[in-house]
Amino acid sequence: RYGFGALTAVSAGLSSYYLFSNSNLVFSDEASDVTAPKVALNPDNWIEFKLQDKARASHNSHLFRFSFDPSVKLGLDVSSCILTRAPVGQDAEGKTKYAIRPYTPISDPEAKGYFDLLIKVYPEGKMTQHFASLKPGDVVEVKGPVEKLRYSPNMKKHIGMIAGGTGITPMLQIIDAILKNPDDNTQVSLIYANVSPDDILLKKKLDKLSASSPNLKVFYTVDKPTDDWVGGKGYVSKEVALKGLPCPSDDTLILVCGPPGMMKHISGEKAKDWTQGELSGILKELGYKEDMVYKF
């Protein structure tokens, strides 16, 4: 097994990501005595986590490993995310203004002493630009966890997933939980859409998982295929969803996560108050009901 730093020597960056699991990292200034909390996260207070290392995952995405007391877990359930914040100036009264964004860790929730984030850096993104500027030893304030979909083994016979870009992160959290549990027989069908083959994140990880488990099927599609691309081409169409997803059923659940345009096309966006909102898009056209679909 290799440490996080080994990734920087790999041309694809992300391809070796899941080979590392070394938790012998420098941890933040939390006490490790008997009074230390059993988990690192706090849902009510912002906690500082120190950046241990970072590596390029693709041309516009990076991996970040944050560390904490190696005797405790992060305190994350499947599936949950965390909130991060960064100062972005001051308001008229001189008070600090913050950018706040949710992210789903892609490391094992059971891991002690560290967690990993996969983040796409946008030119105009206040939070992602802040992440890109971080150097080892810098800290980020984190609060959580924020529970999204409470997953339990065998809760559905077949789970279909449609992800776009970094929308793969909550999907991977659930996939990992299913495949590492020998008593979980859930079948998973994933449709993963990206702009180009170079934008596909975690591909080697996903290919390895699908090759080793008959319960996971993965289909890739890209808007701008290369000459040697052998996967799907174009947006996720009704025909692709029909072939790649389980049929509507009380024992079926479809998960969707991606950029707003994709969400609108596939399932309809979430409501303004961040509840699930009305189901629309191609999933509704294919006969799925609101209780068969979950929007991250």
Side-chain angles (χ1 to χ4, degrees):
R1 297 188 176 188
Y2 302 88
F4 188 98
L7 284 179
T8 59
V10 181
S11 59
L14 193 58
S15 62
S16 296
Y17 165 72
Y18 271 88
L19 294 178
F20 70 67
S21 61
N22 178 18
S23 60
N24 294 323
L25 304 172
V26 178
F27 53 90
S28 58
D29 298 328
E30 295 181 13
S32 58
D33 57 24
V34 294
T35 63
K38 293 182 179 180
V39 297
L41 285 173
N42 189 311
D44 301 313
N45 298 307
W46 294 99
I47 305 294
E48 288 187 345
F49 288 85
K50 187 178 295 184
L51 177 65
Q52 170 62 26
D53 209 345
K54 68 178 182 180
R56 184 174 293 276
S58 72
H59 64 97
N60 61 2
S61 300
H62 293 78
L63 283 162
F64 299 85
R65 169 163 286 189
F66 293 92
S67 53
F68 52 90
D69 184 342
S71 69
V72 301
K73 300 177 183 178
L74 181 61
L76 198 72
D77 293 320
V78 178
S79 61
S80 299
C81 68
I82 59 175
L83 295 178
T84 63
R85 77 173 184 177
V88 291
Q90 296 182 331
D91 60 20
E93 299 178 353
K95 296 181 180 179
T96 303
K97 294 169 60 178
Y98 293 93
I100 299 176
R101 297 290 185 274
Y103 293 103
T104 302
I106 58 173
S107 46
D108 188 340
E110 297 299 309
K112 292 184 177 181
Y114 71 93
F115 69 91
D116 303 316
L117 298 180
L118 174 60
I119 297 175
K120 183 175 181 179
V121 178
Y122 295 94
E124 304 300 325
K126 293 180 179 179
M127 194 68 197
T128 62
Q129 285 294 322
H130 176 74
F131 270 102
S133 72
L134 294 177
K135 300 179 296 296
D138 292 341
V139 297
V140 164
E141 290 187 300
V142 177
K143 181 189 287 190
V146 179
E147 185 175 285
K148 305 296 285 185
L149 172 70
R150 170 70 70 162
Y151 178 78
S152 59
N154 300 303
M155 62 184 287
K156 296 290 181 180
K157 182 178 181 180
H158 200 154
I159 293 180
M161 300 176 173
I162 303 179
T166 52
I168 192 63
T169 56
M171 308 302 184
L172 184 64
Q173 194 181 80
I174 294 174
I175 289 172
D176 277 338
I178 292 172
L179 297 187
K180 76 177 184 180
N181 184 353
D183 297 320
D184 196 334
N185 300 311
T186 306
Q187 298 178 48
V188 178
S189 299
L190 168 65
I191 299 174
Y192 188 19
N194 282 276
V195 175
S196 72
D198 288 340
D199 290 295
I200 300 176
L201 302 172
L202 304 170
K203 187 175 188 300
K204 288 193 174 183
K205 165 68 174 180
L206 292 168
D207 288 346
K208 182 178 179 180
L209 289 176
S210 61
S212 62
S213 175
N215 285 347
L216 173 63
K217 306 296 182 185
V218 181
F219 177 78
Y220 304 100
T221 185
V222 298
D223 302 340
K224 299 178 180 179
T226 54
D227 292 339
D228 59 348
W229 175 248
V230 295
K233 300 177 182 180
Y235 298 117
V236 178
S237 64
K238 187 185 298 186
E239 291 70 28
V240 169
L242 190 62
K243 293 179 181 179
L245 298 177
C247 297
S249 163
D250 290 339
D251 215 7
T252 291
L253 180 64
I254 308 299
L255 309 179
V256 189
C257 189
M262 174 187 156
M263 297 290 292
K264 185 175 181 179
H265 170 66
I266 299 295
S267 60
E269 297 181 87
K270 297 177 75 170
K272 291 183 179 180
D273 62 357
W274 297 105
T275 57
Q276 288 292 290
E278 182 181 354
L279 178 65
S280 61
I282 64 175
L283 291 182
K284 183 175 182 179
E285 295 174 15
L286 290 174
Y288 296 93
K289 299 178 182 178
E290 290 187 354
D291 60 356
M292 300 176 188
V293 176
Y294 184 85
K295 308 171 191 176
F296 280 100

